[in-house]
Every structure is written in C-alpha cells, then in structure tokens.
Amino acid sequence: MVDESLLMQRMSGRKLSGLIAATYTPMKACGDLNLDVVPAMVEKLLRDGVSGLYVCGSTGEGMSLTTRERQLVASAFVDATDGRVPVIVQVGHNSLREAQELAKHAQQIGASAISATCPSYFKVASVQSLTLCMQELAAAAPETPFYYYHIPVLTGSSIDMVEFLTQADEAIPTLVGLKYTDTKLFEFQRCLELSNRKFDVVWGCDEMLLGATATGARAAIGSTYNLAAKIYRQMTLALASGQLETARQWQSKSIEMICTIGHYPFHPAMKAILAMQGLDVGPCRLPLESLSQSQVESLRESLDAIGFFEWSGDTSKPIDA
C-alpha cells in the first residue's frame, strides 16, 4: 500500500500552468495508427510554447481507439516528450475495468497524471455514483495524480462539480482537480475557490479562455492550441501586462478561427489544418468523417480570408483594430 503522506508530498505544488495541447492521434489513410509522426508533433508543440500534453481525450479520439491502441498512443507521447512537459493521459471508458487497465498502464509508463470522463452509455446520475466510479478507476493508479474530465455535452452528466469535489475529496486520495470543459464560469470559479483553492481546475473551452483567465484559470487544455498556441500566449501575456483591449483582440481572433472551422466537421477540419501547416497527422476514424478535397480547399480559402495564416504564425505583428 502506498504511504499517503508520501503521495500527497509527491502531488503537492504540481498544479498545471499555461497551455496544454489536447493532442491529435496520428493515423494512416487506412485508419491504423501512425505513431512515427508523434515525435514531430511533440517538437512542433514545444516550439509553439505549450506547457503540457493531454493524450487520448476527445481531440485524440480516445473513445474510438481500442485499449491496446490507447496504450500505444500514450507510450509514444510519453517517450517523445521525455519529461520536458507534463503528459496527462485520458483513461475514461464505458467499461470501468478497461479504464483501470488504461490507468495502470499510464502509471507504468510514467505519465504525469491521469484523467477520465465518466461512463456515458449508462448515464451517471448522482454525485455518489460519479464518486464511486472515479474512485474505482483512480485506485488502479494509486501513485498518479487524477483529474476528473467534466464534459457534460458529451457524457450527458451535468452533475454539480462543487458537490463532486467536496464528496470525492476524501474518497479519492489521488484526486487533484478537474479538466473543466463547460461554459459555466460561475461554477468554474466556485471550483477554483473551493477549500482555500485546494484543487487544480483546468479550463477547457478555448473560445472563452480570456474570461476564464480573468476568473483565475492558471492552465487550459484545448484542441486549437495544436495549431494556434501563439495566439493564446499573446492573449494571456497581454492580459497579464494590463493590456485588456489587446487581449480581447487576440481572443476575438481565436473566436473567428473557431467559428470558421466550425462550418466543417471540427476535428477532421483541425487535422486538415495541421496538414496545411506541414504536419500530416492523417484522417479521423469513423464515426468522424474526413473532409473531401473540395472541403479542404474551401477551408483553406476561408482561413486565408480571415488572415489566419498570418496571425497564427508571426504574432510579433500588431493586430489591426
């Protein structure tokens, strides 16, 4: 049995910070994994200034991969990162037994933390049920910090996160916080301030990062940090230096980018944009359908029209008001 005092010492002072990219899973045209691309993905993200990686989440199509594939993907990112930034592995599964295997593996390969959605086919309807599910899952990795992944739009579980943190605090010794992917800034703030700011609550909606940062967010996990981390870094730097209007302009660019991408199937479009930036991570796996060639061309034209390829690259240039 792990000494709880040693465990708490290990997890203390380890709150996440900055931009954490929810990584895409590279695939071949046939839908098989293409893990040879992972080192190049990691190097690009580190050059862009991300401070962590979140692997096999919604962005990484974790729910569309087999357990063995998820283990291979997690190992590839941990190996390529080589301890330079934290790697959080998402281990949620409709089968808690499979989730436990993923959690065990993440601990074995040296992941910085694990995170998990709740089972979503049979809906989790109460704080007690959610706590029991996450307790069982997290117990499989007793030496690894655990973040619950709150994303009600996909799980169908809209349980109050303040109540969950309060109840789960004693039940799950490794619980350190949340990946909060919802738009309720008031609930996010309550979670941040709970128990004298005990929990590490990480923001998960890229298009609302400015508001979350003003509310107190220290870290954020998102999809669009894969291709536009520089935009968000400039936004947070402007806010930190008191240049609120400049920060608003950078967030506005982010919103414009996300709305443009949103005219297409989102994750397939994101993978297409990464290819435009010189990083071919392949298609998505069904049920996510890839873009047609005409859609790719239309997407490129739409992004070019809003200036995306200019302001997502060299952010030393001022924004036109």
Side-chain angles (χ1 to χ4, degrees), residues 96-114:
L96 287 174
R97 298 296 175 90
E98 292 296 311
Q100 287 181 315
E101 290 303 312
L102 290 164
K104 288 178 187 176
H105 178 264
Q107 179 167 290
Q108 289 168 356
I109 63 174
S112 307
I114 59 171

Side-chain angles (χ1 to χ4, degrees), residues 181-227:
T181 306
D182 200 359
T183 57
K184 299 175 182 175
L185 272 174
F186 67 90
E187 184 182 47
F188 175 73
Q189 184 170 350
R190 290 185 67 210
C191 290
L192 279 175
E193 296 173 354
L194 186 65
S195 300
N196 195 29
R197 298 185 178 272
K198 176 179 183 178
F199 297 103
D200 191 12
V201 189
V202 183
W203 184 250
C205 294
D206 306 7
E207 60 270 47
M208 296 180 65
L209 180 58
L210 179 59
T213 303
T215 301
R218 297 175 66 254
I221 299 172
S223 303
T224 60
Y225 308 152
N226 284 278
L227 50 85

Side-chain angles (χ1 to χ4, degrees), residues 17-304:
S17 62
L19 302 175
I20 298 164
T23 57
Y24 281 92
T25 296
M27 296 181 184
K28 300 175 182 177
C30 63
D32 292 343
L33 299 180
N34 188 14
L35 300 183
D36 290 343
V37 181
V38 169
M41 295 176 68
V42 170
E43 296 309 317
K44 175 190 182 300
L45 290 168
L46 294 183
R47 284 196 304 271
D48 288 349
V50 303
S51 57
L53 307 179
Y54 189 87
V55 178
C56 288
S58 307
T59 302
E61 300 176 76
M63 299 309 179
S64 296
L65 305 178
T66 67
T67 294
R68 181 56 183 156
E69 285 176 326
R70 290 171 70 169
Q71 291 172 338
L72 290 170
V73 171
S75 293
F77 276 101
V78 169
D79 289 346
T81 304
D82 194 25
R84 289 175 288 176
V85 296
V87 178
I88 304 99
V89 179
Q90 200 285 123
V91 300
H93 201 288
N94 273 324
S95 165
L96 287 174
R97 298 296 175 90
E98 292 296 311
Q100 287 181 315
E101 290 303 312
L102 290 164
K104 288 178 187 176
H105 178 264
Q107 179 167 290
Q108 289 168 356
I109 63 174
S112 307
I114 59 171
S115 178
T117 54
C118 61
S120 58
Y121 184 86
F122 296 113
K123 305 304 180 191
V124 177
S126 69
V127 173
Q128 180 180 3
S129 179
L130 179 58
T131 300
L132 289 171
C133 287
M134 296 301 103
Q135 181 184 47
E136 184 173 309
L137 184 157
E143 299 177 14
T144 305
F146 170 67
Y147 290 80
Y148 175 60
Y149 181 4
H150 178 59
I151 183 165
V153 69
L154 291 181
T155 63
S157 175
S158 55
I159 290 167
D160 186 287
M161 283 295 99
V162 175
E163 293 182 14
F164 167 71
L165 288 173
T166 301
Q167 184 166 315
D169 187 18
E170 293 186 7
I172 307 174
T174 55
L175 176 68
V176 293
L178 304 172
K179 177 183 185 296
Y180 189 92
T181 306
D182 200 359
T183 57
K184 299 175 182 175
L185 272 174
F186 67 90
E187 184 182 47
F188 175 73
Q189 184 170 350
R190 290 185 67 210
C191 290
L192 279 175
E193 296 173 354
L194 186 65
S195 300
N196 195 29
R197 298 185 178 272
K198 176 179 183 178
F199 297 103
D200 191 12
V201 189
V202 183
W203 184 250
C205 294
D206 306 7
E207 60 270 47
M208 296 180 65
L209 180 58
L210 179 59
T213 303
T215 301
R218 297 175 66 254
I221 299 172
S223 303
T224 60
Y225 308 152
N226 284 278
L227 50 85
K230 295 177 182 179
I231 295 171
Y232 298 99
R233 289 179 62 213
Q234 290 296 318
M235 185 202 77
T236 54
L237 286 170
L239 184 63
S241 61
Q243 301 175 57
L244 181 57
E245 184 55 36
T246 299
R248 286 176 180 149
Q249 289 176 2
W250 282 116
Q251 181 71 88
S252 179
K253 293 297 184 186
S254 157
I255 294 169
E256 191 173 16
M257 170 189 69
I258 291 170
C259 288
T260 299
I261 299 171
H263 290 296
Y264 305 83
F266 188 81
H267 290 303
M270 286 284 292
K271 280 193 163 184
I273 298 169
L274 285 171
M276 295 175 198
Q277 294 181 326
L279 189 64
D280 187 357
V281 295
C284 289
R285 182 175 287 183
L286 289 172
L288 297 179
E289 297 185 34
S290 298
L291 270 60
S292 66
Q293 187 57 42
S294 63
Q295 286 178 309
V296 171
E297 292 171 2
S298 174
L299 173 60
R300 185 194 295 272
E301 291 173 0
S302 297
L303 291 171
D304 195 41

